[in-house]
Amino acid sequence: MDGQGATADPQLQHFIEIESQKQRFQQLVHQMTEVCWEKCMDKPGPKLDSRTEICFVNCVERFIDTSQFILNRLEQTQKSRGSFSETMLD
């Protein structure tokens, strides 16, 4: 074997990475929708009232901010300590 047998095609790796990112994004949207729906939607109707709309906007913004903060924190911790498992001890 020439040593490249275990290396996947770069285009295939890129495709898999993109599809994984899409899947993570869809999961995030689903989770955000579920959280904000439970928090903001009192009684479904034909139209959102302004209070409910503001609640949804604030909820989505906080969800995104929180998700970004957590990702940044995990990245910093992994870089400084080199181990994800230690992050859970903070």
Side-chain angles (χ1 to χ4, degrees):
M1 194 176 256
D2 62 4
Q4 293 181 353
T7 306
D9 176 22
Q11 287 180 325
L12 179 59
Q13 286 180 330
H14 183 69
F15 174 78
I16 291 170
E17 183 179 320
I18 296 295
E19 291 302 311
S20 295
Q21 288 175 354
K22 286 180 188 177
Q23 183 181 14
R24 286 192 300 270
F25 179 75
Q26 288 173 344
Q27 289 172 337
L28 188 63
V29 168
H30 177 76
Q31 184 182 7
M32 179 178 59
T33 301
E34 189 174 324
V35 166
C36 293
W37 183 269
E38 290 296 319
K39 178 175 175 33
C40 299
M41 198 57 164
D42 294 330
K43 35 192 170 186
K47 190 175 180 185
L48 292 179
D49 60 28
S50 61
R51 183 184 63 79
T52 304
E53 187 174 348
I54 290 169
C55 181
F56 272 115
V57 169
N58 288 335
C59 181
V60 169
E61 288 176 353
R62 295 299 72 78
F63 191 94
I64 292 170
D65 289 347
T66 302
S67 297
Q68 191 61 49
F69 174 80
I70 291 169
L71 285 173
N72 289 341
R73 177 75 172 122
L74 287 174
E75 283 180 12
Q76 289 172 355
T77 304
Q78 284 178 334
K79 287 178 185 175
S80 66
R81 294 188 181 159
S83 173
F84 177 74
S85 61
E86 292 179 29
T87 302
M88 299 304 167
L89 300 176
D90 282 352

